[in-house]
Amino acid sequence: MKKLTTALCLFTLICLGMTPGHAADQPSPLQTQGDPFMGDWQGEDADGKALCVQVIALPEDVYRANIMAEFDTPKKPLAVLNGKRSRDKVVFKRSPKGGPFLVLSLTKGSFSGSLSGTRETTVELKPVTRLSPTLGKEPPANAVILFDGTSLDSWMQASDGKPIQWKLLDNGIMEVGKGGIVSKHGFKDHTLHLEFRTPFMPGESGQGRGNSGAYFQGRYEVQILDSYGLKTTWNDCGGIYNVSVPKVNMAAPPLQWQTYDATFYAPRFDEAGNKIKEASVTVIHNGVLIQEDV
């Protein structure tokens, strides 16, 4: 974590299993509250083939569109297009040497396009919101609740143990503020359930887009970042900082709630204090396994 910027977080400690994600045929919070274009789009072409598109807002009103056959896959996109916003429209174009000419036009609420060259076709896509299957689940009876939406008492400043300088908002959300925080409870082997959302920062790039992280033992960080639709590295959302790249980029669009369900195993030492087994962590991001026994 290079710097800490505003993110909204909900922390509880619970044990949960992995189940598939699900979708809702509606715009994301970002598309209704901040940006009508950025987010997930889904539909099919004229031949009935499924198409999925991730639209990412970049600095200076530039947008990137990842064209895919399916979401949540490590496979490379079928095509990656850039476009410039003009009022309520973004037009994405690509004309590779010797290949077809692809034009996609995106307006508020609809996404259509054509592919010419060898033949022509059209696509119709609608916005879709894909939510984590573990979002808002009830904690088990043996859980230690670190944040229930009413109090910050389970947390202290990481630097000096004083009360934290984060905010408790009226809607039961903890908002990231100055400095890092650490739980007053200590844990060895455990599963952490974390619900968070990143801010919408289209004018920023890389590590500037809502940067935070969840640390185990103050050492091992699972990065939190707006890495939606981007090619990920170890310092992007779901990455274990300086250690491991996520298997799949499961980052949701900014302003949308996301989940980590991470199981951590503390290192083991013999009686002489020698480490005989490394620490390890398994991370499920929005219902999909992204780090396995790392």
Side-chain angles (χ1 to χ4, degrees):
M1 181 176 68
K2 294 301 183 183
K3 68 175 183 177
L4 188 67
T5 53
T6 303
L8 304 180
C9 304
L10 172 68
F11 297 81
T12 58
L13 183 69
I14 65 177
C15 300
L16 294 170
M18 185 180 75
T19 54
H22 63 279
D25 187 13
Q26 60 185 14
S28 71
L30 176 62
Q31 290 168 334
T32 57
Q33 300 173 23
D35 187 293
F37 308 116
M38 184 172 178
D40 293 336
W41 298 76
Q42 193 169 30
E44 57 186 32
D45 63 18
D47 297 326
K49 287 186 178 180
L51 279 181
C52 302
V53 180
Q54 293 175 315
V55 178
I56 306 101
L58 302 174
E60 300 181 358
D61 278 339
V62 172
Y63 289 79
R64 179 172 299 157
N66 296 332
I67 317 297
M68 303 170 290
E70 59 181 334
F71 289 120
D72 308 335
T73 173
K75 298 177 182 178
K76 292 183 178 181
L78 303 175
V80 178
L81 313 177
N82 286 334
K84 186 81 172 181
R85 179 173 182 171
S86 177
R87 295 183 181 179
D88 293 336
K89 190 175 184 178
V90 181
V91 177
F92 301 90
K93 295 182 179 181
R94 189 185 72 169
S95 182
K97 294 180 179 179
F101 182 68
L102 180 64
V103 179
L104 290 174
S105 178
L106 173 59
T107 57
K108 288 184 177 180
S110 66
F111 203 156
S112 60
S114 63
L115 176 65
S116 60
T118 55
R119 65 187 183 92
E120 289 192 6
T121 187
T122 59
V123 296
E124 291 292 337
L125 303 111
K126 297 295 182 182
V128 61
T129 300
R130 300 179 303 120
L131 301 175
S132 169
T134 67
L135 186 65
K137 282 205 171 182
E138 290 294 322
N142 64 340
V144 177
I145 307 299
L146 296 177
F147 179 63
D148 64 358
T150 66
S151 172
L152 306 179
D153 290 346
S154 293
W155 299 89
M156 59 186 177
Q157 288 188 166
S159 59
D160 54 18
K162 293 182 179 180
I164 68 174
Q165 299 182 47
W166 293 22
K167 293 180 180 180
L168 178 59
L169 305 183
D170 292 339
N171 53 3
I173 291 172
M174 184 193 299
E175 183 176 20
V176 173
K178 183 178 180 181
I181 66 173
V182 61
S183 66
K184 294 178 181 178
H185 304 271
F187 304 97
K188 293 182 181 179
D189 299 347
H190 65 282
T191 292
L192 174 72
H193 174 75
L194 166 65
E195 300 184 2
F196 66 94
R197 71 181 188 184
T198 60
F200 179 47
M201 305 177 70
E204 301 292 335
S205 61
Q207 298 293 294
R209 293 172 76 102
N211 190 331
S212 191
Y215 284 84
F216 297 93
Q217 295 193 332
R219 287 186 184 88
Y220 313 107
E221 181 190 10
V222 181
Q223 176 82 333
I224 293 174
L225 193 74
D226 172 17
S227 304
Y228 171 73
L230 305 178
K231 181 180 179 181
T232 56
T233 63
W234 49 259
N235 62 351
D236 286 311
C237 200
I240 300 177
Y241 207 84
N242 270 327
V243 175
S244 178
V245 179
K247 295 175 181 289
V248 183
N249 180 1
M250 284 302 301
L255 301 186
Q256 181 174 312
W257 285 100
Q258 308 185 52
T259 61
Y260 282 158
D261 294 285
T263 300
F264 176 80
Y265 294 97
R268 296 319 197 241
F269 299 84
D270 62 20
E271 293 182 357
N274 300 308
K275 185 162 62 174
I276 57 176
K277 188 175 182 180
E278 298 281 359
S280 67
V281 66
T282 293
V283 182
I284 296 170
H285 185 190
N286 291 332
V288 173
L289 182 67
I290 62 166
Q291 304 281 1
E292 186 173 13
D293 195 27
V294 175

